[in-house]
mmCIF file of all heavy atoms in Angstrom:
data_model
loop_
_atom_site.group_PDB
_atom_site.id
_atom_site.type_symbol
_atom_site.label_atom_id
_atom_site.label_comp_id
_atom_site.label_asym_id
_atom_site.label_seq_id
_atom_site.Cartn_x
_atom_site.Cartn_y
_atom_site.Cartn_z
ATOM 1 N N SER K 235 5.383 12.775 -1.447
ATOM 2 C CA SER K 235 5.226 11.423 -2.058
ATOM 3 C C SER K 235 5.258 10.355 -0.842
ATOM 4 O O SER K 235 4.539 9.425 -0.852
ATOM 5 C CB SER K 235 6.357 11.106 -2.994
ATOM 6 O OG SER K 235 6.304 11.958 -4.143
ATOM 7 N N ASN K 236 6.121 10.589 0.118
ATOM 8 C CA ASN K 236 6.223 9.698 1.248
ATOM 9 C C ASN K 236 5.010 9.738 2.073
ATOM 10 O O ASN K 236 4.509 8.721 2.576
ATOM 11 C CB ASN K 236 7.441 10.044 2.119
ATOM 12 C CG ASN K 236 8.016 8.930 2.935
ATOM 13 O OD1 ASN K 236 8.383 7.975 2.339
ATOM 14 N ND2 ASN K 236 7.976 9.070 4.222
ATOM 15 N N ALA K 237 4.441 10.977 2.153
ATOM 16 C CA ALA K 237 3.108 11.154 2.914
ATOM 17 C C ALA K 237 1.972 10.392 2.172
ATOM 18 O O ALA K 237 1.101 9.767 2.821
ATOM 19 C CB ALA K 237 2.802 12.641 3.140
ATOM 20 N N VAL K 238 1.996 10.497 0.872
ATOM 21 C CA VAL K 238 0.914 9.824 0.103
ATOM 22 C C VAL K 238 1.073 8.267 0.304
ATOM 23 O O VAL K 238 0.065 7.534 0.457
ATOM 24 C CB VAL K 238 1.125 10.153 -1.379
ATOM 25 C CG1 VAL K 238 0.152 9.200 -2.244
ATOM 26 C CG2 VAL K 238 0.708 11.623 -1.620
ATOM 27 N N LEU K 239 2.255 7.740 0.348
ATOM 28 C CA LEU K 239 2.421 6.375 0.487
ATOM 29 C C LEU K 239 1.916 5.944 1.863
ATOM 30 O O LEU K 239 1.201 4.900 1.990
ATOM 31 C CB LEU K 239 3.962 5.990 0.486
ATOM 32 C CG LEU K 239 4.358 4.591 0.813
ATOM 33 C CD1 LEU K 239 3.776 3.585 -0.144
ATOM 34 C CD2 LEU K 239 5.898 4.511 0.776
ATOM 35 N N LEU K 240 2.233 6.649 2.873
ATOM 36 C CA LEU K 240 1.752 6.381 4.288
ATOM 37 C C LEU K 240 0.217 6.463 4.363
ATOM 38 O O LEU K 240 -0.446 5.507 4.883
ATOM 39 C CB LEU K 240 2.411 7.249 5.290
ATOM 40 C CG LEU K 240 1.988 7.089 6.714
ATOM 41 C CD1 LEU K 240 2.311 5.729 7.262
ATOM 42 C CD2 LEU K 240 2.560 8.233 7.609
ATOM 43 N N PHE K 241 -0.284 7.497 3.820
ATOM 44 C CA PHE K 241 -1.744 7.647 3.871
ATOM 45 C C PHE K 241 -2.493 6.567 3.078
ATOM 46 O O PHE K 241 -3.524 6.099 3.484
ATOM 47 C CB PHE K 241 -2.150 9.022 3.309
ATOM 48 C CG PHE K 241 -3.599 9.338 3.509
ATOM 49 C CD1 PHE K 241 -4.105 9.888 4.751
ATOM 50 C CD2 PHE K 241 -4.546 9.166 2.463
ATOM 51 C CE1 PHE K 241 -5.401 10.164 4.917
ATOM 52 C CE2 PHE K 241 -5.834 9.410 2.696
ATOM 53 C CZ PHE K 241 -6.340 9.925 3.919
ATOM 54 N N SER K 242 -1.924 6.167 1.922
ATOM 55 C CA SER K 242 -2.596 5.141 1.114
ATOM 56 C C SER K 242 -2.635 3.844 1.887
ATOM 57 O O SER K 242 -3.701 3.093 1.776
ATOM 58 C CB SER K 242 -1.964 5.011 -0.146
ATOM 59 O OG SER K 242 -0.553 4.454 0.032
ATOM 60 N N GLY K 243 -1.649 3.530 2.683
ATOM 61 C CA GLY K 243 -1.646 2.326 3.421
ATOM 62 C C GLY K 243 -2.689 2.296 4.556
ATOM 63 O O GLY K 243 -3.404 1.304 4.781
ATOM 64 N N VAL K 244 -2.814 3.443 5.254
ATOM 65 C CA VAL K 244 -3.906 3.611 6.235
ATOM 66 C C VAL K 244 -5.228 3.566 5.620
ATOM 67 O O VAL K 244 -6.162 2.944 6.161
ATOM 68 C CB VAL K 244 -3.668 4.975 7.019
ATOM 69 C CG1 VAL K 244 -4.726 5.143 8.096
ATOM 70 C CG2 VAL K 244 -2.269 4.950 7.684
ATOM 71 N N TYR K 245 -5.405 4.201 4.464
ATOM 72 C CA TYR K 245 -6.709 4.144 3.835
ATOM 73 C C TYR K 245 -7.038 2.738 3.362
ATOM 74 O O TYR K 245 -8.244 2.358 3.439
ATOM 75 C CB TYR K 245 -6.614 5.112 2.550
ATOM 76 C CG TYR K 245 -7.877 5.454 1.869
ATOM 77 C CD1 TYR K 245 -8.622 6.503 2.475
ATOM 78 C CD2 TYR K 245 -8.426 4.765 0.946
ATOM 79 C CE1 TYR K 245 -9.896 6.928 1.849
ATOM 80 C CE2 TYR K 245 -9.652 5.046 0.241
ATOM 81 C CZ TYR K 245 -10.284 6.165 0.801
ATOM 82 O OH TYR K 245 -11.528 6.512 0.203
ATOM 83 N N GLY K 246 -6.044 2.014 2.969
ATOM 84 C CA GLY K 246 -6.284 0.633 2.496
ATOM 85 C C GLY K 246 -6.708 -0.194 3.746
ATOM 86 O O GLY K 246 -7.493 -1.112 3.567
ATOM 87 N N TRP K 247 -6.120 0.065 4.899
ATOM 88 C CA TRP K 247 -6.596 -0.684 6.062
ATOM 89 C C TRP K 247 -8.013 -0.440 6.411
ATOM 90 O O TRP K 247 -8.731 -1.386 6.804
ATOM 91 C CB TRP K 247 -5.738 -0.280 7.289
ATOM 92 C CG TRP K 247 -6.312 -0.805 8.535
ATOM 93 C CD1 TRP K 247 -6.944 -0.120 9.529
ATOM 94 C CD2 TRP K 247 -6.266 -2.225 8.981
ATOM 95 N NE1 TRP K 247 -7.331 -1.003 10.559
ATOM 96 C CE2 TRP K 247 -6.922 -2.341 10.183
ATOM 97 C CE3 TRP K 247 -5.885 -3.323 8.327
ATOM 98 C CZ2 TRP K 247 -7.131 -3.523 10.857
ATOM 99 C CZ3 TRP K 247 -6.002 -4.611 8.996
ATOM 100 C CH2 TRP K 247 -6.651 -4.606 10.241
ATOM 101 N N CYS K 248 -8.545 0.729 6.183
ATOM 102 C CA CYS K 248 -9.946 1.029 6.403
ATOM 103 C C CYS K 248 -10.774 0.188 5.494
ATOM 104 O O CYS K 248 -11.840 -0.244 5.829
ATOM 105 C CB CYS K 248 -10.241 2.583 6.294
ATOM 106 S SG CYS K 248 -9.381 3.629 7.446
ATOM 107 N N PHE K 249 -10.317 0.063 4.234
ATOM 108 C CA PHE K 249 -10.949 -0.814 3.284
ATOM 109 C C PHE K 249 -10.995 -2.234 3.735
ATOM 110 O O PHE K 249 -12.053 -2.882 3.770
ATOM 111 C CB PHE K 249 -10.229 -0.707 1.947
ATOM 112 C CG PHE K 249 -10.753 -1.567 0.830
ATOM 113 C CD1 PHE K 249 -12.059 -1.864 0.723
ATOM 114 C CD2 PHE K 249 -9.925 -1.997 -0.210
ATOM 115 C CE1 PHE K 249 -12.602 -2.655 -0.314
ATOM 116 C CE2 PHE K 249 -10.400 -2.681 -1.277
ATOM 117 C CZ PHE K 249 -11.750 -3.023 -1.301
ATOM 118 N N VAL K 250 -9.907 -2.732 4.251
ATOM 119 C CA VAL K 250 -9.749 -4.100 4.736
ATOM 120 C C VAL K 250 -10.753 -4.294 5.902
ATOM 121 O O VAL K 250 -11.524 -5.326 5.943
ATOM 122 C CB VAL K 250 -8.369 -4.437 5.199
ATOM 123 C CG1 VAL K 250 -8.333 -5.744 5.940
ATOM 124 C CG2 VAL K 250 -7.430 -4.513 4.008
ATOM 125 N N HIS K 251 -10.792 -3.391 6.897
ATOM 126 C CA HIS K 251 -11.565 -3.610 8.045
ATOM 127 C C HIS K 251 -13.023 -3.554 7.721
ATOM 128 O O HIS K 251 -13.806 -4.304 8.403
ATOM 129 C CB HIS K 251 -11.239 -2.500 9.018
ATOM 130 C CG HIS K 251 -11.652 -2.872 10.480
ATOM 131 N ND1 HIS K 251 -12.746 -2.261 11.067
ATOM 132 C CD2 HIS K 251 -11.170 -3.748 11.375
ATOM 133 C CE1 HIS K 251 -12.951 -2.746 12.253
ATOM 134 N NE2 HIS K 251 -11.952 -3.651 12.462
ATOM 135 N N GLU K 252 -13.481 -2.823 6.751
ATOM 136 C CA GLU K 252 -14.937 -2.762 6.447
ATOM 137 C C GLU K 252 -15.281 -4.021 5.644
ATOM 138 O O GLU K 252 -16.495 -4.428 5.792
ATOM 139 C CB GLU K 252 -15.239 -1.507 5.698
ATOM 140 C CG GLU K 252 -16.725 -1.358 5.534
ATOM 141 C CD GLU K 252 -17.148 0.114 5.228
ATOM 142 O OE1 GLU K 252 -16.491 0.951 5.733
ATOM 143 O OE2 GLU K 252 -18.155 0.308 4.489
ATOM 144 N N VAL K 253 -14.445 -4.529 4.776
ATOM 145 C CA VAL K 253 -14.799 -5.692 4.016
ATOM 146 C C VAL K 253 -14.783 -6.964 4.804
ATOM 147 O O VAL K 253 -15.648 -7.827 4.660
ATOM 148 C CB VAL K 253 -13.796 -5.848 2.817
ATOM 149 C CG1 VAL K 253 -14.050 -7.111 2.084
ATOM 150 C CG2 VAL K 253 -13.944 -4.623 1.888
ATOM 151 N N PHE K 254 -13.839 -7.141 5.786
ATOM 152 C CA PHE K 254 -13.636 -8.366 6.505
ATOM 153 C C PHE K 254 -13.897 -8.239 7.990
ATOM 154 O O PHE K 254 -13.847 -9.174 8.717
ATOM 155 C CB PHE K 254 -12.251 -8.924 6.300
ATOM 156 C CG PHE K 254 -12.076 -9.477 4.945
ATOM 157 C CD1 PHE K 254 -11.253 -8.773 4.023
ATOM 158 C CD2 PHE K 254 -12.634 -10.577 4.467
ATOM 159 C CE1 PHE K 254 -11.010 -9.267 2.695
ATOM 160 C CE2 PHE K 254 -12.530 -11.091 3.186
ATOM 161 C CZ PHE K 254 -11.662 -10.474 2.284
ATOM 162 N N GLY K 255 -14.276 -7.005 8.480
ATOM 163 C CA GLY K 255 -14.493 -6.870 9.901
ATOM 164 C C GLY K 255 -15.818 -7.470 10.229
ATOM 165 O O GLY K 255 -16.769 -7.681 9.418
#
Side-chain angles (χ1 to χ4, degrees):
S235 299
N236 206 62
V238 170
L239 174 60
L240 178 63
F241 186 83
S242 66
V244 178
Y245 195 86
W247 170 252
C248 296
F249 180 27
V250 170
H251 196 258
E252 186 157 330
V253 173
F254 290 109

